[in-house]
Each structure stands twice: as C-alpha cells, then as structure tokens.
C-alpha cells in the first residue's frame, strides 16, 4: 500500500515537471481532472417519503445548472430499493442510492460521506425543501469554502456563539471582505442543511456514532462535531443562504412523531448531552459547560473580529466578552453563570 502511494506520488511529480498538469496539482486533486467528477455531493438522509422524491430531483437538476453535482441518498427503507434504482438510472447515475436498514442520522451521514466523490458535501434531511429553489445559494457556498482553506463546516440552519445568553447573533452585521458573503464564525451550528469540506470531515472522524443508537436521532451530534472541528484547528461558520419549507406538508417530521419524539427529545438528548459535557465540558457526572468551552467561545469571538468585517453600530459590541483583539476578558457578572459554576475543567485550556 505504501509503495503504491509512493508510485502514484512519483507519477504526479513527473506530470507536473513535464508541464502536463498544473504545478499546483496534488495527488488528491487527480479525481477532479475528470470532467464528470462532482464538485459537490448533496447527501440526503431518506426514510419512507416517496411523495417527496420529485422535490429532491428538482433540487438536483437546479444545482446541476451551476456545477457538477451528485445526489447521494441513504435509503433507510430498503424495500424502496427499486424506486431508487429507477431514479438512479433515469438520472444517468447522478443519484447514488446507498441501501441501509434504518441506521438513521449519524451512521447515514458517515456512510454517505464515505461514498461521496465531491470536494464539498451538503447534508440534507428528507422533510426539508430548500429555497431559493434555483440553487443560487450553492455557488456562494462553494466560493466561501474556496476563499477560506481553513473553513471546514458551514451551518445553514441555526448557530450559537457560546453557552448562555449575551452574544448578539445578528449575522447581517458581518461579511467576508474577500467574497462579500454574509457570514459569521460560530461556536456551534445546527443540522440541517449543513455543509462540509469532505476531507476535513473525514480527517476528524465524522459524526460520533457512539452518542446515538442505530435508528435514533442525532441530537447534540452537530454541536459535538462543531467543537471537534475547532479543536482540530478548522473553522466553522454560519451562512444565511437558504430557508426551508416542508417537502411533504401533510406529513409529520420523523423526530416529532409520537412514536419517536419522546425517544429523541427525551432519552437520546440526555445521552448525547451527557457525552458532550463529558468530553468537552465539566466531565461525566458533573453539570455544566466548563472553562474549556469558555476559552473556545473567546477563540470564536477573536476569529470573527480578525477575519470578517463587522458593521454593527458605533459604540456597541455584539460579544459579551467585548471587541478587543487580544486576550480573554472575563465574562460580565450577569453572564458568569454560563461557565463559572464548574470549578475544574474536564479539558485543560
């Protein structure tokens, strides 16, 4: 295996030296030299919503007008395999069904990430219809990833700037001076939709399947993965690129059905939040976020101030730790409850 990798690297070097490929081309870039290789993989977690299939195909076709796209679908109801095989054939293979058996969110996201060929991957949920419907949001998303090599994760649903209140999340006050895109670096972002630099997602190990049983929802996994991305040296942002409506207005969302809602918002939330706090907060058996996450909140604050243009009113500051470009100021007394109740951090900051 090591010898094969060395041989491939040597061939790429010879091609570069001979001027047959660009001098900046790496081994990882080789698949993208083929014209049919998708730049973006849309990845859909699907379970028993045949009435919504036309919505997903409309999204695929709209996005294909902008760039090379594939739609990877984790089909959690394998009895619908014939349907998806026919859809794949009708789209010339642009739809890639991955037949599973109710593995649900986290395992499906990791499975699709492994199957995807795109440089970037956008995770979707089967009860959402994204707007604007012309997919005009996708070029802006890709441009942002291309402009910021450290950007690994972009939430498009919701976000937080820390644990507790006191930060102003008015993202309209922030923009990237290079792309002009409205955005804000985020302490945590929410599923879904949510986009990744696929190589970064693979590098940090993907979603932690240990915090959710097979067939259950992935609540808190998005927050845990956001923290893991920051700790690994990547950046995470929120971009207000899309808004959502129901793909099937007459059907209830899976996590809000009576037979699944209690398991997700009750038991699963308790299990996952305990794992999150045990890993990044005050530790297992303790309660609260801990000082390490306060340090991380400050890091996210500084990243916003240093890399983005802020347009908030003069004399005001949107961050509860202030707008200074150095240090880690203490929280104002009224917000100290967010972290101060924990005397010892699980992670040494």
């Amino acid at each position: 295996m090591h010898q094969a990798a060395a041989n491939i690297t040597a061939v790429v070097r010879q091609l570069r030296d001979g001027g047959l490929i660009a001098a900046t081309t790496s081994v990882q870039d080789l698949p993208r030299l083929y014209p049919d290789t998708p730049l973006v993989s849309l990845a859909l977690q699907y379970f028993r919503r045949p009435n919504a299939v036309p919505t997903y195909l409309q999204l695929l076709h709209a996005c294909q007008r902008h760039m090379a796209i594939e739609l990877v679908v984790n089909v959690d109801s394998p009895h619908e395999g014939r349907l998806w095989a026919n859809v794949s054939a009708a789209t010339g293979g642009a739809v890639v069904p991955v037949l599973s058996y109710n593995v649900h969110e986290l395992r499906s996201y990791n499975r699709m990430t492994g199957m995807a060929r795109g440089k970037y991957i956008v995770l979707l949920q089967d009860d959402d219809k994204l707007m604007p419907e012309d997919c005009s949001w996708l070029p802006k998303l890709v441009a942002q990833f291309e402009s910021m090599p450290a950007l690994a994760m972009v939430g498009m649903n919701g976000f937080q700037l820390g644990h507790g209140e006191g930060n102003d999340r008015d993202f309209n006050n922030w923009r990237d001076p290079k792309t002009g895109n409205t955005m804000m670096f985020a302490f945590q972002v929410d599923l879904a939709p949510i986009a990744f630099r696929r190589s970064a997602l693979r590098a940090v190990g993907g979603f932690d399947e240990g915090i959710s049983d097979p067939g259950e929802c992935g609540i808190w996994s998005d927050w845990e993965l956001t923290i893991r991305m920051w700790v690994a040296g990547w950046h995470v942002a929120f971009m207000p690129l899309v808004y959502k409506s129901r793909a099937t207005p007459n059907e209830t969302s899976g996590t809000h059905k009576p037979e699944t809602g209690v398991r997700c918002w009750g038991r699963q939330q308790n299990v996952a939040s305990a794992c999150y706090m045990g890993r990044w907060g005050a530790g297992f058996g303790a309660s609260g976020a801990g000082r390490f996450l306060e340090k991380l909140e400050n890091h996210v604050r500084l990243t916003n101030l240093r890399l983005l243009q802020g347009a908030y009113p003069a004399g005001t500051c949107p961050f509860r730790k202030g707008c200074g470009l150095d240090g880690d100021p203490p929280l104002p007394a009224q917000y100290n409850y967010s972290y101060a109740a924990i005397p010892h951090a699980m992670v040494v900051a």
Side-chain angles (χ1 to χ4, degrees):
M1 187 70 177
H2 294 297
Q3 186 58 49
N7 292 341
I8 293 172
T9 301
V11 169
V12 172
R13 187 181 300 113
Q14 292 173 4
L15 294 172
R16 287 198 303 257
D17 293 343
L20 299 175
I21 59 177
T24 57
T25 303
S26 67
V27 172
Q28 290 74 22
D29 293 325
L30 287 180
R32 264 160 279 286
L33 298 179
Y34 295 91
D36 64 338
T37 300
L39 178 62
V40 175
S41 297
L42 304 176
L44 174 69
Q45 159 59 15
Y46 172 87
F47 183 72
R48 294 180 180 175
R49 289 188 189 272
N51 293 334
V53 172
T55 298
Y56 316 140
L57 295 180
Q58 289 169 9
L59 174 64
L60 170 66
H61 297 322
C63 293
Q64 284 178 321
R65 298 187 183 99
H66 296 280
M67 60 190 69
I69 296 288
E70 68 176 354
L71 174 61
V72 183
V73 184
N74 183 76
V75 182
D76 245 352
S77 41
H79 68 277
E80 296 180 88
R82 181 186 296 271
L83 164 67
W84 285 101
N86 291 336
V87 169
S88 181
T91 59
V95 172
V96 183
V98 183
L99 301 183
S100 303
Y101 189 78
N102 198 26
V103 298
H104 211 51
E105 284 191 273
L106 305 191
R107 289 158 184 82
S108 78
Y109 295 148
N110 287 343
R111 184 170 294 188
M112 289 188 290
T113 300
M115 293 284 293
R117 294 183 296 153
K119 184 177 181 181
Y120 308 111
I121 184 168
V122 182
L123 301 185
L124 308 170
Q125 293 177 334
D126 63 0
D127 52 353
D128 291 335
K129 178 179 181 179
L130 300 189
M131 291 171 284
E133 296 180 63
D134 61 1
C135 199
S136 56
W137 52 271
L138 188 59
K140 297 177 184 178
L141 174 67
V142 170
Q144 200 58 54
F145 275 120
E146 296 286 338
S147 177
M148 291 181 165
L151 183 62
M153 185 175 181
V154 176
M156 292 177 278
N157 185 20
F159 74 106
Q160 303 294 327
L161 292 172
H163 281 281
E165 301 173 336
N167 290 306
D168 183 355
R169 292 183 294 158
D170 188 352
F171 48 78
N172 290 305
N173 290 332
W174 298 88
R175 62 186 290 273
D176 175 21
K178 293 181 180 179
T179 64
N181 284 333
T182 298
M183 64 176 297
M184 199 171 189
F185 291 106
F187 179 80
Q188 297 156 331
V189 294
D190 302 335
L191 286 163
I194 193 168
F196 294 91
R197 186 181 303 274
R198 181 176 174 270
S199 59
L201 182 57
R202 299 279 283 175
V204 301
F207 286 87
D208 184 354
E209 298 177 11
I211 65 176
S212 174
D213 290 332
E216 300 297 341
C217 73
I219 193 169
W220 280 80
S221 63
D222 41 10
W223 286 14
E224 192 282 326
L225 181 55
T226 308
I227 303 301
R228 195 155 21 105
M229 283 290 193
W230 281 111
V231 171
W234 296 98
H235 291 169
V236 180
F238 171 80
M239 296 182 69
L241 295 173
V242 301
Y243 60 100
K244 305 188 297 183
S245 65
R246 299 297 303 276
T248 49
N250 296 324
E251 297 181 23
T252 304
S253 171
T255 56
H256 293 88
K257 292 180 179 178
E259 64 269 27
T260 56
V262 172
R263 297 204 310 266
C264 179
W265 300 97
R267 176 188 178 278
Q268 191 58 50
Q269 178 162 238
N270 289 337
V271 170
S273 62
C275 290
Y276 171 94
M277 291 301 181
R279 179 172 295 163
W280 304 115
F284 288 102
S287 175
R291 290 296 184 183
F292 172 74
L293 290 176
E294 181 183 354
K295 294 286 186 183
L296 184 57
E297 176 185 331
N298 186 65
H299 176 66
V300 174
R301 175 187 74 91
L302 293 174
T303 304
N304 276 298
L305 291 168
R306 290 169 178 170
L307 298 185
L308 301 181
Q309 279 184 343
Y312 44 90
T316 66
C317 178
F319 301 109
R320 58 185 183 176
K321 280 180 172 281
C323 286
L325 292 175
D326 297 299
D328 185 5
L331 286 170
Q334 68 267 37
Y335 302 125
N336 207 34
Y337 70 90
S338 303
Y339 307 101
I342 310 303
H344 304 291
M346 181 67 174
V347 181
V348 178

